[in-house]
Amino acid sequence: MLALRLARGAHPLVQTRRLLVAVAAAGVGFLLLCTLGYAVGHPERSSAAVLRLLWCVPPLAATVQFAVAVARTDPSTRPRPGLSAIGLGPARLTAIAAASTAVACTLGSMVALLFYLHLRGDITGLPFDGAAADLLAADQPIPLAAALTLLAVLPVVAATAAGLALRPRTAPAAPEGAEKPVPSGLPWGIALVAVGLAIETYAGPRSGAAGGLPLPGRFDGNPAGVLAGWALTAVGLAMAGPALVHGCGRLLQSVRPGATRLLAGRVLMDESRRIGRPLGVVSAVVSGTLAAAALHESGTGPGAFGPLTGLGAALVLACTTATLLTAALESKQCRAHTTEALLRIGAPPTVLRSAALMRAGVLLVVFLPLTWAVAELAALPLTG
């Protein structure tokens, strides 16, 4: 009840972010229900139904990541003076954040259920009644327990992830004179990217359509090894992201930096963990999109992407991009006191704007060629 009261009195921008989480949850819930409908309508193809269920994991993971990022930027989850005296300590605020995340995801899941039943024709009196009856196996009854279980997965996972991400913890004290915790995932990230590209290269020329995994919506011709290799490549980019952002900060401060370059570099180094992983995930998603587009243009891939495949891809791309923007907003909020202090001592606002543009520029210079190179290497086994 307290989580609902805090949500009702939040700022409109905060409410908009929660609404976007609910929309993403509705998309994931609809994909899960479509998978259930396929299993009910084709009981003889149980293995294909399981594989279709596995294809719902990337959109679900992207939505969970977005929900956690929104929970981290929620003002109601930040400790404030006086809250501990009324029983709202860090642990209670974490529970409130998890409850708010669960409420938003549950709302989206319920909307997905209503929309799914409407397209099946089970709910009448609205436009497009039963418009997708054949696709959603309207002639077969949907097991309610299975549908509710699938719809409960996202709220439970998102609430648990938000609780773990916001749980109170104390960081170990760093030795005096030591630099703040430098990200160390670059070697593992490079290794995973290399292994993933090697698996794609090995699996691409040898596997035909018989080794493919069925995607919802007529996208069935990709070898399983290629898809597994791309998954490893994506994880590698996500792991290497914080170290790459940290390296961009060091690059800005090299060769006798001025005040603007020094400020921009230090901000990138301090915020490398917060924005590096979402940036790496976006780079992986964009590289996969470019590789799929190159495969489609070469004529070696499937002729058309179905509606469910398009929905899943749109969810992944939208959620990962929104997560990156939300992480950037969180970074700005965390350094608000530093910005105010700089303005109080007379720093011109143009310096702050120039530093922000410089940070964005160096990130684009580093990540755009990396994304393009990974996309070209990922598409090479199938197009070549």
Side-chain angles (χ1 to χ4, degrees), residues 285-328:
V285 172
V286 173
S287 66
T289 304
L290 294 176
L295 178 62
H296 180 70
E297 292 177 0
S298 66
T300 58
F305 294 92
L308 298 182
T309 304
L311 175 60
L315 279 174
V316 172
L317 185 60
C319 287
T320 51
T321 304
T323 300
L324 177 59
L325 295 177
T326 306

Side-chain angles (χ1 to χ4, degrees), residues 8-36:
R8 186 181 60 183
H11 192 274
L13 290 178
V14 178
Q15 300 284 30
T16 301
R17 291 197 294 268
R18 291 171 178 165
L19 180 61
L20 291 177
V21 171
V23 171
V28 173
F30 184 75
L31 287 177
L32 291 172
L33 291 174
C34 289
T35 301
L36 178 61

